[in-house]
Amino acid sequence: MLGGIWLPQAALTLTAFALGLLLVAGIGWWDDHKPLPALPRLFIHLLAGLLLGWLVWQGTGSLWKALLCALLGVSLINIWNFMDGINGLASTQAIIVGIGVGLLLPAPYALAAWSLVAGCAGFLPFNFPRARIFMGDVGSGALGYLVAGLLALGISVTDVALPLWLMLPTAFFIDAGLTLLGRMARGESWMQAHTQHLYQVWVKNERSHVFVTFLYALFSIVGAILAALFSGLPPEWGWAGGVTWVAVGTAAWFLLRARAYQPG
């Protein structure tokens, strides 16, 4: 609402995005207090994702960008929820993504990214290294939607190569995505809660929350720096850099997971 006052020309867009955020936070709050089946939650997430896609379509006229951002919305809502399992992980990753987006976005759009960074930085001392406050589904899902909104903004208002935006949350995409694919391949009930993500395996093998959160942060900081550097090069370099980074992250995930499961 305040954004609509400061930027009246964007009032409708900001109101629509706020509605999507309210839907995600609301269903998360409900699930925190009275657990819901997966399908009602997914329906609301789809609705919020479609709303984000509609905003992109209105702003760009591009159907493929709209569909991509709708998918990003649904995916990141759930990914941030899946990955919010140890102290500081979800908030530090959101801070790093926000910094990366802030470096890639021109003014005044970058203000949205720095606002997210400031909000998460204010919360972080209460959640890391010792957790005194937890996000719950209401916080993690809403944070994922905010991250998706930032990426959708970047995709909509810049010509930066698409993979560079996706480089920023690569750590979460890889861990959540490959873990999900593995569960599906094994015929497991992939919609149920589990503790099979790489970060969870490390913690179960007596790695500290601080160590794991720091390692994920280091990977994402390198990704954000590379994305910023490649953004100044021709688009084909951005595509090459983004694809290469995902390949490096995927190889690292398989290697570290194999080592985590080694006896002793």
Side-chain angles (χ1 to χ4, degrees), residues 93 96 167-168 170-171 215-225 245:
Q93 288 296 305
I96 296 166
M167 281 177 69
L168 302 176
T170 291
L215 203 60
Y216 274 70
L218 183 61
F219 177 86
S220 294
I221 288 170
V222 173
I225 292 172
W245 185 243

Side-chain angles (χ1 to χ4, degrees), residues 76-196:
L76 290 178
I77 290 167
N78 288 280
I79 285 173
W80 243 262
N81 180 261
F82 296 156
M83 301 295 290
D84 179 34
I86 62 172
N87 300 349
L89 184 60
S91 48
T92 55
Q93 288 296 305
I95 288 171
I96 296 166
V97 172
I99 291 172
V101 174
L103 294 174
L104 294 178
L105 276 177
Y109 301 108
L111 179 61
W114 299 120
S115 297
L116 177 65
V117 171
C120 290
F123 170 77
L124 186 60
F126 299 96
N127 187 248
F128 183 83
R130 184 172 64 89
R132 290 172 285 165
I133 300 177
F134 297 93
M135 286 187 190
D137 287 356
V138 60
S140 60
L143 190 53
Y145 192 68
L146 286 168
V147 170
L150 285 182
L151 297 178
L153 179 61
I155 291 169
S156 299
V157 303
T158 73
D159 294 324
V160 173
L162 174 63
L164 297 183
W165 297 109
L166 303 184
M167 281 177 69
L168 302 176
T170 291
F172 271 18
F173 272 134
I174 288 175
D175 198 0
L178 293 180
T179 300
L180 176 62
L181 289 174
R183 285 173 58 79
M184 295 173 70
R186 293 189 296 271
E188 299 177 10
S189 182
W190 56 271
M191 296 184 70
Q192 292 184 354
H194 61 88
T195 58
Q196 297 178 14

Side-chain angles (χ1 to χ4, degrees), residues 235-246:
E236 56 268 22
W237 283 96
W239 280 87
V243 171
T244 301
W245 185 243
V246 171

